[in-house]
Amino acid sequence: MHRRKFLGLAPLGAGALIAGGRGFAAPSAGPANKRERMLQWLAGKPDTHYTPAAFFLHFGPNFKTGSAAAQRHLEFFRATDMDFVKIQFEQTYDRQPNLNTPADWSKLKLQKLDFYEAQLQTVRDLVKAAKKDALIVMTLYSPFMCAGHCATAPVLRRHLEENPEAVKRGLEILTESQMLFVRACVQAGVDGFYMSTQGSETKQFANPKIFLNYVKPFDLVAMKEVSAKCPFNILHVCDYNAPYAGYDATLDYPGQVVNCNPKLTDKQLPLPEIARMFKRPYMGGLDRHGLLASGAPQAIDTEVKRVIQSAPRQFILGADCTVAAETDWKRLRQIITLAHQTGHPS
């Protein structure tokens, strides 16, 4: 792909005006770049003539971690003109063949900081290259999601239902490891995290107390710490595995922004209602499987305008989750450009 120069936003304010030899004060300048624009947005001062937007996808096997991943993230960021840099988390746990019973979770190996080095190199490169112009957000999988990587999601659920106290030790180990990574990312200079949670989907557990007592507490360890230290954290209630009947179990999760699917098992939530429920701005609005994936350009334009018109005032256009890896970057650029040209109704 052709590498473009960084697409910063030029200041909107004019210089001093001179008329008849007399100087007049210039209007206040607008945001100098995407970082400044998003910080103003976070402060509750969105530009009513501009809707921020961002989409995320996984890159190919040669661009998962390290400096190669950082370069690919930058190319995607510049090609789409999205409003912040979001780093994919690719340093996942390998499948652990010894997790045959709930008691086996106590034997889980604690991965220390060297395990995350390739991912941290991506973080450091992107902070160095782009932080001056844009907010940098790191993806954060929950300990429950990481445990699913270790044993498969069905095995993890079965073990939690059989003996949650035994599985708890494994979740403690994963949380301890995660905090090493999280703190290293904060030290490296990230501005926040895209904080994913799973486990409260409909019919995930026969007993919902399993989520409340054995999943949620471990979600909150990192989420609470980063929300206190970083200005831009997005709570992502992930429906990749199953839909939700409601979001009551996650309404009190931290994060400055929420991203979730408006479509529940029995109804569609209006976007302003989601913002009211979670008491924070909403990001999303587009179905990753719908027009975003395969719609004609005119149909996409119509949908983008409809979503923005129906959204709360403080809003980021995006998808309900990561879009397919093969999604055309030009399609995403088209959507983001239109969002930038479309203001919220007064």
Side-chain angles (χ1 to χ4, degrees):
M1 173 171 292
H2 178 68
R3 296 179 182 175
R4 298 172 175 83
K5 292 184 178 180
F6 189 88
L7 292 171
L9 292 175
L12 301 179
L17 300 178
I18 305 297
R22 183 172 61 177
F24 293 88
S28 59
N33 53 32
K34 293 178 182 295
R35 181 179 186 84
E36 186 175 317
R37 182 184 290 280
M38 287 305 301
L39 287 173
Q40 288 183 7
W41 183 94
L42 280 164
K45 302 174 183 178
D47 182 344
T48 57
H49 303 291
Y50 179 107
T51 300
F55 298 94
F56 325 126
L57 51 77
H58 291 280
F59 304 112
N62 295 327
F63 306 104
K64 293 294 186 183
T65 56
S67 295
Q71 182 58 44
R72 195 64 166 166
H73 278 78
L74 279 175
E75 290 174 355
F76 179 71
F77 170 68
R78 293 165 176 166
T80 60
D81 199 26
M82 57 192 278
D83 285 275
F84 54 91
V85 176
K86 190 264 199 185
I87 310 171
Q88 297 288 24
F89 181 76
E90 305 287 8
Q91 197 70 34
T92 55
Y93 277 77
D94 293 331
R95 190 68 45 79
Q96 305 294 308
N98 61 331
L99 298 175
N100 299 313
T101 70
D104 292 332
W105 286 91
S106 65
K107 306 171 187 175
L108 200 64
K109 179 183 177 181
L110 173 66
Q111 297 289 0
K112 297 186 179 179
L113 200 56
D114 60 339
F115 173 77
Y116 301 102
E117 176 53 31
Q119 186 75 70
L120 287 169
Q121 185 62 51
T122 307
V123 172
R124 290 190 293 264
D125 284 2
L126 286 169
V127 167
K128 182 178 180 180
K131 184 180 172 83
K132 65 183 181 298
D133 297 300
L135 295 172
I136 311 294
V137 178
M138 180 67 218
T139 303
L140 185 65
Y141 292 152
S142 69
F144 172 75
M145 295 166 73
C146 293
H149 298 155
C150 293
T152 76
V155 169
L156 173 62
R157 288 195 299 268
R158 185 174 73 249
H159 287 177
L160 278 167
E161 289 177 339
E162 290 175 3
N163 189 343
E165 280 296 317
V167 179
K168 181 179 179 181
R169 178 53 191 149
L171 293 170
E172 289 172 346
I173 293 169
L174 289 166
T175 302
E176 183 180 350
S177 176
Q178 180 182 70
M179 292 309 299
L180 297 174
F181 174 70
V182 164
R183 288 165 182 158
C185 286
V186 173
Q187 185 176 13
V190 301
D191 297 292
F193 293 81
Y194 183 79
M195 312 180 303
S196 296
T197 177
Q198 292 178 348
S200 60
E201 303 96 320
T202 182
K203 300 179 181 178
Q204 181 80 315
F205 294 108
N207 182 356
K209 288 186 177 180
I210 292 176
F211 175 81
L212 295 175
N213 295 334
Y214 296 97
V215 177
K216 184 172 183 175
F218 296 103
D219 282 357
L220 294 177
V221 174
M223 289 186 181
K224 285 183 176 180
E225 180 160 329
V226 302
S227 291
K229 291 183 175 179
C230 302
F232 186 40
N233 299 285
I234 303 169
L235 169 63
H236 172 56
V237 188
C238 182
D239 71 339
Y240 183 82
N241 290 329
Y244 290 81
Y247 293 122
D248 289 354
T250 57
L251 291 178
D252 61 345
Y253 272 49
Q256 287 81 11
V257 179
V258 64
N259 171 236
C260 60
N261 196 333
K263 187 176 181 180
L264 301 179
T265 53
D266 62 348
K267 63 180 177 180
Q268 181 93 7
L269 294 173
L271 305 188
E273 183 177 340
I274 299 174
R276 287 193 296 269
M277 287 168 49
F278 282 92
K279 299 178 181 178
R280 70 199 79 178
Y282 175 70
M283 174 181 176
L286 294 179
D287 180 355
R288 66 188 184 276
H289 300 302
L291 290 174
L292 180 56
S294 58
Q298 185 57 51
I300 292 174
D301 286 358
T302 300
E303 178 65 4
V304 167
K305 292 176 181 177
R306 184 198 68 79
V307 168
I308 293 174
Q309 294 294 308
S310 66
R313 179 172 175 270
Q314 200 173 1
F315 169 69
I316 302 172
L317 182 73
D320 44 63
C321 197
T322 302
V323 303
E326 64 273 14
T327 303
D328 187 343
W329 294 12
K330 292 180 181 179
R331 176 187 294 269
L332 299 178
R333 174 64 179 246
Q334 170 200 345
I335 294 170
I336 291 170
T337 297
L338 181 59
H340 291 171
Q341 296 170 350
T342 305
H344 192 275
S346 58

